[in-house]
Amino acid sequence: MLRQPLESKTVTISRVHSTVTYPANFIFIAAMNPCPCGYFGSNDHYCTCSEKQIKAYKNRVSGPILDRFDILLTLQAVNLKGHDFKGIDSSEDIKKRVASARENQYNRYGKEICNGTVPFEQLIQSSPLTPKQQYDLQQVSSKQGLSNRVQIKIIRLARTIADIKGEVLISDEDLKEAMFLRKLAPPTHFSLTGEANKPLYR
């Protein structure tokens, strides 16, 4: 039921006598435990789940829904006792960076529209990937079986990371960070290098 509003930003309700479509542009945030008992990966508790149980639990979220998430994160529990919070940005500092990134996007596209919703053709025309970046993304996508939707989301996310940093173009590090935020980054021994290949988006 979520797939249509996530894709089209509208929701259609059909009844016997009529069908009505409403706007439904929203931010979708979801959370789940790492396993049925909730302690997989914990440093303080023992996980009682089998590998089969964990896999079945994660498979309850369908691939098409996961494809429609921009960011996928795995979080670890934090012990707040004795935490000094040094080096952590304040909400005000983060707010300023976000506002600046949005302003950059408005100026780039000539209207109040962001990287997440601008037509992909317009985004890639204003911020093209280099041949090397296209090849790197293709290599990761081939190895991990990424859909075109996920690849486009990675590019959109990399463009936003570049905007937050105040960069004009998408750097290799921006693309790599976007992969990490989709839980799709290659392992540490993998280097974002390669020969040029055909562009992904042509």
Side-chain angles (χ1 to χ4, degrees):
M1 294 176 65
L2 283 169
R3 287 171 64 179
Q4 182 209 352
L6 284 171
E7 190 74 20
S8 64
K9 309 300 181 185
T10 61
V11 61
T12 301
I13 301 174
S14 298
R15 293 295 183 265
V16 176
H17 299 293
S18 65
T19 298
V20 183
T21 299
Y22 294 102
N25 191 4
F26 60 99
I27 297 176
F28 183 32
I29 302 175
M32 65 183 294
N33 287 328
C35 65
C37 78
Y39 293 126
F40 179 72
S42 173
N43 296 323
D44 304 315
H45 297 83
Y46 180 74
C47 174
T48 60
C49 305
S50 67
E51 185 177 344
K52 184 177 180 180
Q53 287 175 316
I54 295 174
K55 185 176 181 179
Y57 178 76
K58 291 183 176 180
N59 285 341
R60 292 172 63 184
V61 183
S62 70
I65 287 295
L66 285 177
D67 273 7
R68 286 165 171 79
F69 279 99
D70 294 292
I71 297 174
L72 300 174
L73 294 175
T74 299
L75 304 179
Q76 295 292 332
V78 176
N79 186 356
L80 297 180
K81 290 183 179 180
H83 202 296
D84 57 14
F85 297 98
K86 288 183 179 179
I88 297 178
D89 293 339
S90 68
S91 296
E92 188 62 30
D93 290 337
I94 296 172
K95 178 182 176 181
K96 289 178 181 178
R97 287 205 302 271
V98 171
S100 176
R102 281 182 172 270
E103 192 64 30
N104 289 339
Q105 293 168 47
Y106 296 162
N107 292 335
R108 182 185 306 120
Y109 305 126
K111 55 183 176 180
E112 290 192 6
I113 189 170
C114 296
N115 297 325
T117 53
V118 69
F120 182 65
E121 293 77 11
Q122 186 176 354
L123 180 143
I124 209 65
Q125 184 177 5
S126 61
S127 306
L129 297 183
T130 65
K132 171 181 172 296
Q133 290 170 341
Q134 295 168 29
Y135 178 83
D136 293 337
L137 182 55
Q138 285 181 332
Q139 289 294 98
V140 174
S141 301
S142 177
K143 289 181 180 179
Q144 304 197 30
L146 305 185
S147 67
N148 285 340
R149 179 181 287 108
V150 171
Q151 295 176 57
I152 289 173
K153 284 187 176 297
I154 290 173
I155 296 173
R156 291 184 187 276
L157 187 55
R159 177 62 266 183
T160 300
I161 292 169
D163 285 331
I164 290 175
K165 294 178 180 178
E167 299 171 348
V168 177
L169 297 174
I170 299 172
S171 69
D172 292 354
E173 285 304 312
D174 298 333
L175 187 62
K176 189 174 182 179
E177 186 175 348
M179 292 179 188
F180 272 109
L181 291 176
R182 279 286 313 189
K183 290 177 64 177
L184 296 166
T188 53
H189 66 268
F190 183 91
S191 176
L192 281 177
T193 59
E195 297 177 358
N197 204 343
K198 293 182 180 180
L200 160 74
Y201 43 85
R202 288 184 184 173

